[in-house]
Amino acid sequence: MRWERLIDDLAAQIDHEQREEERALALEEERHRLGRLTLRDRVRALHGAGLPVRCELVDGRALTLVPDSIGRDWLAGRAEVHLGARVIVHFPAVEAILPVRDELAASLEPLPESPTALAARIGFGFLLRDLARRRSPVLVHGVAGADWHGTIDRVGADHVELALHARGVPRREAEVRGYRLVPFERISTVVF
């Protein structure tokens, strides 16, 4: 009888130690996963949870966006401040993401990246080239607070060529007031 209790006691201690070791290993793995999270990963998790993303930009503007796409260095969606217009936010222009307390946990949820997810590989320049092909009028916000309205004529490796014209006027040579070559790193958002 005493031997059975002793063996049961030892078995319980071994089980307890094994559970503690597994728990410690799981905690360590979670710490490593959190240490590898990028801002893009956290924004993707918010998007995956169906939550809006509130951004503070380097130009001082605040923007609430309902994302529909997240690329390598950009976030696109509909913004309340632009009355539902589509907005592309260049990640380097993000000063901070402003989640509320409940959104913090959602932003930490693991969200696997599909190996075939095209948007994850598409860069900011690709989106701008698409807008140039469509001849879409755009409002470009610079990181220093300046705004330029016009049409993107060309997109280089690291800059955009913008034909400036009045809002609501199609891009015609007679309507163009000037041109602007803007480096990507000087662009915070593009509204179209």
Side-chain angles (χ1 to χ4, degrees):
M1 189 77 156
R2 285 188 343 165
W3 289 110
E4 289 176 7
R5 275 193 261 148
L6 178 63
I7 291 171
D8 288 345
D9 187 40
L10 287 173
Q13 285 179 11
I14 290 171
D15 285 345
H16 176 72
E17 287 175 11
Q18 188 174 9
R19 282 193 305 274
E20 283 300 311
E21 190 175 312
E22 288 171 356
R23 190 176 74 76
L25 184 59
L27 288 171
E28 187 65 23
E29 286 175 0
E30 181 64 3
R31 275 194 292 275
H32 284 295
R33 185 188 74 80
L34 293 176
R36 290 187 306 269
L37 278 180
T38 64
L39 182 64
R40 180 184 177 278
D41 294 332
R42 294 193 71 174
V43 169
R44 280 186 62 241
L46 289 171
H47 169 57
L51 297 169
V53 176
R54 283 175 291 289
C55 306
E56 183 179 296
L57 302 172
V58 294
D59 60 11
R61 290 181 302 125
L63 185 66
T64 299
L65 195 69
V66 177
D68 53 32
S69 303
I70 301 169
R72 185 177 64 222
D73 57 353
W74 54 270
L75 162 68
R78 304 225 177 261
E80 295 171 355
V81 72
H82 293 290
L83 304 173
R86 302 260 347 250
V87 178
I88 302 168
V89 178
H90 195 205
F91 269 133
V94 173
E95 184 79 28
I97 301 295
L98 308 170
V100 296
R101 185 170 190 65
D102 296 341
E103 294 171 345
L104 285 174
S107 76
L108 295 173
E109 287 299 314
L111 198 58
E113 186 81 62
S114 168
T116 60
L118 182 60
R121 298 189 311 256
I122 293 176
F124 190 59
F126 183 89
L127 291 180
L128 298 178
R129 285 181 194 88
D130 184 55
L131 291 173
R133 274 191 298 277
R134 294 178 192 202
R135 308 303 294 156
S136 299
V138 296
L139 174 61
V140 176
H141 293 284
V143 295
D147 297 336
W148 309 287
H149 191 276
T151 302
I152 299 172
D153 281 346
R154 290 173 194 83
V155 179
D158 63 350
H159 69 283
V160 63
E161 176 184 318
L162 186 64
L164 304 173
H165 56 79
R167 188 183 310 246
V169 175
R171 192 236 186 266
R172 295 207 170 74
E173 202 55 43
E175 300 295 330
V176 174
R177 299 187 317 250
Y179 299 91
R180 202 166 183 93
L181 302 177
V182 185
F184 290 166
E185 70 260 7
R186 303 303 299 164
I187 298 173
S188 69
T189 60
V190 177
V191 182
F192 60 103

